Amino acid sequence: MSKIKDKINLLNQKARASNLGGGQDRIDAQHKQGKMTARERLHFLFDNGFFDEIFKFVQHSNNAFGMDGKLLPGDGVVTALGAVNGRLVHVSSQDFTVMGGSVGRMHAWKICEMMDMSLKNGTPYIAINDSGGARIQEGIHSLRGYGRIFYYNTMLSGVVPQISIIAGPCAGGAAYSPALMDFIIMVEKTGQLFIAGPKVIKEATGENITAEELGGAMAQATFSGNVHFIARDDAEAIEITQKLLSYLPSNNLEEPPYLGSEQLDIVVDEALNFTVPDDPRDPYDMMDILVRVFDPDSIMEVQNHFAKNMLVCFARLNGRVVGVVANQPMVKSGAIDIDASDKASRFIRFCNAFNIPLITFVDVPGFMPGVEQEFGGIIRHGAKMLFSFSASTVPKITIIVRKAYGGAYLAMSAKSLGADRVAAWPSAEVAVMGAEGAVSILFRRELQEAEDPKQKRRELVKEYQENFATPYPAAAEGLVDSVIEPKMTRHYLSIALESLKNKRAPRPQKKHGLIPL
Amino acid sequence: MNQNNPINTLNIDDTAYETFLTKKFKSRKPYSPSNPNQVVAFIPGVIREIFVKKGQDVKKGDVLLTLEAMKMKNSIKAPFNSKVKSIEVEVGKMVMKNQLLIELD
């Protein structure tokens, strides 16, 4: 005869069993690899380690291939909600100790249920991936599960921020869920991300490569640009997640978290007047300018291993979150290539979706020339930047630091693409192309007829540089609204940003635009 | 398709498929790990200055040469402490992307 007390004991017993996941042995194995368990990760993520777990007693419903009667606590995924820095988030954390965190029907259902809650409540969704992939015993039920996860990822896209942590294997179709989310944070050594692993590649193409070389954090951050942030271990991955969340609104109807005061902190920074070298062909580090302009320690660079010729970062200006897009003259002369364009466009789209104003720093000699770039589709990919800046309705402010040539200048949020405010430094060179190239075209005949073509060329280049490679022709046309001393940049941006905080820019109704993909 | 493009076999997940392959696919370069001793051009451009000589010891961060590209003088630096084994370019020479510039020991 069961009394209430016994029933409560039974509940506690079941809860304890569920908390152990695949059992102590497997937990030890997880620790041995330097990984946290699914629950430890949640404990670390949420304020005071507190979280509300839901669907704790979910079980699989499969009886094929010897699965009959097998118990899989939570079906291999812990789903929870709780506060991160006081703001509600929904999380699913795959439990590798339970059948390798493999995705069965109920496992996928739990994940989708969490995403649905995120969607309804307007909260960020975080997925912690540590899974061997599809549960083959469940066959197409597992496949359907993945399909549903991808569908929900797409539904959430642009409504709530989605962050994916790769803290274990994430291979094959499973890799497409992180790919559909906004940011991927990957743990070195333990994280693995690829569609077809080394063994499959060896068989298909004969190429030899290790799993780490192919799908390790560094490979996926550097070559493919899939990974936005690299973490040394699980703890660092979670710290990055918490920091990233501090820049993001909970959903597309909210403003990003504001840390400022009523008073604008406007400073004149003399050092900025000396950051750009005298010779326009000398490189410098654009980051040196950014750290001086934005609030101290407020810059969080995104994808810093990929397409380093383009910088994208979150930052704060007087406590207000902004997205910064900047050319990096130190790398590949700051020219825009396919990867740089992809990187910038994705970031611009994210900022626009989540009401984060865009600030652009321009020092670009042009789009990258080369057969490889043309055949790779630089036209199609470069067009993404034109599209994403034109389509963005958040406040857009541009600072032209130095070179701003041709189509690449337009791609860096030019006035003609709808930038709200554009200022140029006195070192700015806004022109249709560089002096050498322009002279070759404009004065072809004069150069041919000159007695000393080299001397004539030098004179003409100098003349062109003095008259056209300056900010003033653009300022005369109103394409630049102010020419400012570099030291006044923070001053200019602060006032411009404050004046645009209630900006409205209605667009014609449509299903969606067709960004060239 | 035409006879110049015979049927090939492609293995995916332990299954062999008979299929046509594109020229691009067939002429692709197989993956090979990059050789850290070879300093190659990361961008097409012109060699403006060479600061080192064959046999010279270099420290990590030492400027090896200047590669001008896209209106910018890029300093190519030594990736680690080493000795210059050979210099494959001259001042004023155009280089292609991924062309070998300097080999280190």
Side-chain angles (χ1 to χ4, degrees):
Chain A
M1 197 174 66
S2 175
K3 297 184 191 131
I4 291 294
K5 197 178 151 201
D6 294 333
K7 289 184 178 179
I8 290 173
N9 281 341
L10 179 65
L11 164 65
N12 288 334
Q13 208 182 323
K14 276 181 175 289
R16 270 196 302 276
S18 180
N19 284 347
L20 268 183
Q24 194 58 46
D25 291 352
R26 293 214 175 91
I27 292 177
D28 292 343
Q30 184 89 347
H31 286 159
K32 221 172 171 179
Q33 287 183 58
K35 300 202 296 193
M36 293 185 186
T37 64
R39 278 190 179 72
E40 283 164 351
R41 287 168 182 149
L42 293 176
H43 192 78
F44 206 79
L45 172 69
F46 288 111
D47 295 352
N48 305 321
F50 177 80
F51 59 90
D52 191 13
E53 184 180 348
I54 46 185
F55 305 125
K56 197 187 189 75
F57 299 121
V58 160
Q59 279 291 338
H60 74 96
S61 51
N62 175 37
N63 48 24
F65 301 108
M67 291 296 289
D68 203 6
K70 250 192 180 175
L71 290 182
L72 300 179
D75 205 30
V77 60
V78 184
T79 44
L81 53 94
V84 176
N85 291 319
R87 294 160 66 208
L88 182 65
V89 297
H90 285 82
V91 186
S92 63
S93 177
Q94 290 178 315
D95 189 347
F96 197 79
T97 68
V98 179
M99 234 183 137
S102 59
V103 176
R105 186 170 73 91
M106 292 309 286
H107 179 123
W109 178 83
K110 279 176 74 172
I111 291 176
C112 292
E113 207 55 23
M114 293 317 285
M115 285 197 266
D116 196 39
M117 288 183 196
S118 272
L119 191 60
K120 283 176 182 157
N121 297 295
T123 58
Y125 169 67
I126 297 167
I128 304 176
N129 294 274
D130 188 0
S131 159
R135 193 177 297 154
I136 307 301
Q137 288 87 341
E138 293 203 21
I140 54 168
H141 295 295
S142 167
L143 210 49
R144 170 172 68 183
Y146 276 120
R148 293 309 291 168
I149 292 172
F150 301 157
Y151 175 82
Y152 272 101
N153 280 139
T154 312
M155 288 303 106
L156 265 63
S157 181
V159 182
V160 296
Q162 301 184 79
I163 300 171
S164 184
I165 299 174
I166 316 284
C170 184
Y176 282 120
S177 175
L180 288 165
M181 297 171 74
D182 303 324
F183 295 101
I184 300 182
I185 298 158
M186 187 157 170
V187 183
E188 275 179 330
K189 295 195 179 72
T190 52
Q192 273 178 10
L193 190 66
F194 42 67
I195 294 302
K199 199 172 148 274
V200 181
I201 288 184
K202 168 85 188 157
E203 228 173 78
T205 69
E207 290 164 306
N208 282 310
I209 190 164
T210 66
E212 182 67 18
E213 280 172 336
L214 178 68
M218 197 44 96
Q220 290 294 337
T222 311
F223 301 123
S224 65
N226 285 329
V227 169
H228 298 82
F229 302 97
I230 295 179
R232 282 187 308 276
D233 52 23
D234 290 1
E236 197 187 12
I238 289 165
E239 281 162 15
I240 294 171
T241 309
Q242 291 164 332
K243 186 174 179 200
L244 181 58
L245 282 170
S246 75
Y247 292 93
L248 311 181
S250 291
N251 59 62
N252 64 333
L253 299 179
E254 286 182 15
E255 298 294 321
Y258 175 57
L259 298 180
S261 62
E262 303 262 306
Q263 203 79 38
L264 287 187
D265 170 30
I266 289 176
V267 286
V268 175
D269 185 353
E270 297 285 347
L272 278 177
N273 278 2
F274 305 98
T275 43
V276 173
D278 287 331
D279 184 345
R281 291 178 306 161
D282 276 339
Y284 61 92
D285 189 352
M286 180 62 86
M287 200 45 115
D288 290 344
I289 294 178
L290 303 186
V291 294
R292 300 200 74 94
V293 168
F294 295 100
D295 295 356
D297 296 323
S298 74
I299 292 182
M300 184 177 198
E301 198 184 338
V302 181
Q303 280 181 307
N304 62 351
H305 294 281
F306 180 63
K308 294 181 183 178
N309 40 338
M310 183 72 77
L311 291 169
V312 299
C313 30
F314 292 111
R316 283 194 156 83
L317 188 66
N318 293 304
R320 222 176 269 292
V321 175
V322 294
V324 183
V325 179
N327 306 114
Q328 172 58 285
M330 281 242 292
V331 181
K332 289 185 184 171
S333 312
I336 301 178
D337 57 6
I338 291 170
D339 286 350
S341 173
D342 270 357
K343 175 179 173 180
S345 307
R346 180 179 174 128
F347 184 73
I348 296 160
R349 302 280 282 174
F350 178 85
C351 289
N352 188 50
F354 291 103
N355 313 319
I356 298 171
L358 287 160
I359 298 185
T360 310
F361 284 77
V362 188
D363 187 351
V364 64
F367 283 107
M368 182 70 81
V371 177
E372 173 210 20
Q373 288 290 314
E374 294 292 340
F375 285 3
I378 182 70
I379 297 178
R380 176 163 54 93
H381 294 286
K384 292 178 190 173
M385 282 197 75
L386 300 166
F387 188 104
S388 40
F389 267 126
S390 299
S392 292
T393 55
V394 292
K396 291 179 283 194
I397 311 171
T398 305
I399 304 289
I400 302 173
V401 172
R402 196 167 66 175
K403 296 180 197 102
Y405 285 137
Y409 145 66
L410 297 178
M412 293 302 291
S413 193
K415 179 83 181 168
S416 41
L417 288 194
D420 298 294
R421 298 289 304 273
V422 181
W425 286 12
S427 48
E429 304 172 8
V430 188
V432 68
M433 65 194 298
E436 297 276 352
V439 164
S440 302
I441 295 168
L442 294 171
F443 302 104
R444 199 161 53 101
R445 186 160 301 157
E446 284 88 332
L447 284 170
Q448 274 167 0
E449 288 165 1
E451 277 177 28
D452 182 353
K454 276 191 176 165
Q455 174 61 25
K456 181 78 184 162
R457 187 180 181 82
R458 265 197 297 276
E459 283 169 25
L460 287 168
V461 165
K462 190 158 175 277
E463 198 182 304
Y464 185 91
Q465 266 165 344
E466 277 167 10
N467 293 327
F468 297 100
T470 75
Y472 302 105
E477 285 294 321
L479 294 172
V480 161
D481 63 56
S482 312
V483 181
I484 58 170
E485 263 194 72
K487 67 179 184 185
M488 301 301 283
T489 305
R490 187 177 162 92
H491 182 278
Y492 176 88
L493 287 174
S494 298
I495 294 174
L497 188 64
E498 198 64 20
S499 69
L500 288 164
K501 70 179 179 190
N502 295 324
K503 179 191 171 187
R504 265 175 283 180
R507 294 290 162 104
Q509 276 291 327
K510 53 184 161 183
K511 241 179 170 176
H512 56 72
L514 294 163
I515 185 163
L517 294 173
Chain B
M1 290 182 97
N2 61 35
Q3 289 177 327
N4 299 337
N5 198 358
I7 291 178
N8 297 70
T9 320
L10 185 67
N11 273 301
I12 296 174
D13 274 343
D14 292 331
T15 310
Y17 298 90
E18 301 280 295
T19 183
F20 292 116
L21 296 176
T22 60
K23 200 175 152 200
K24 187 177 172 186
F25 184 83
K26 278 194 281 197
S27 57
R28 77 201 186 283
K29 266 209 306 219
Y31 167 82
S32 63
S34 60
N35 181 354
N37 287 339
Q38 295 188 338
V39 179
V40 298
F42 64 91
I43 190 172
V46 180
I47 305 297
R48 282 289 177 229
E49 262 182 289
I50 300 176
F51 299 100
V52 291
K53 291 201 175 68
K54 192 178 164 179
Q56 186 180 331
D57 287 315
V58 288
K59 282 210 193 69
K60 181 181 173 179
D62 283 357
V63 179
L64 302 175
L65 49 82
T66 305
L67 168 62
E68 184 170 332
M70 296 300 285
K71 308 174 186 75
M72 189 76 73
K73 292 184 280 184
N74 300 285
S75 298
I76 309 299
K77 293 175 183 162
F80 45 80
N81 295 344
S82 181
K83 193 178 202 171
V84 178
K85 193 172 163 192
S86 66
I87 298 173
E88 304 292 335
V89 289
E90 297 150 35
V91 171
K93 199 177 155 187
M94 279 274 290
V95 293
M96 307 285 290
K97 191 180 168 179
N98 289 332
Q99 184 175 335
L100 179 62
L101 304 175
I102 282 181
E103 195 155 13
L104 299 171
D105 241 338

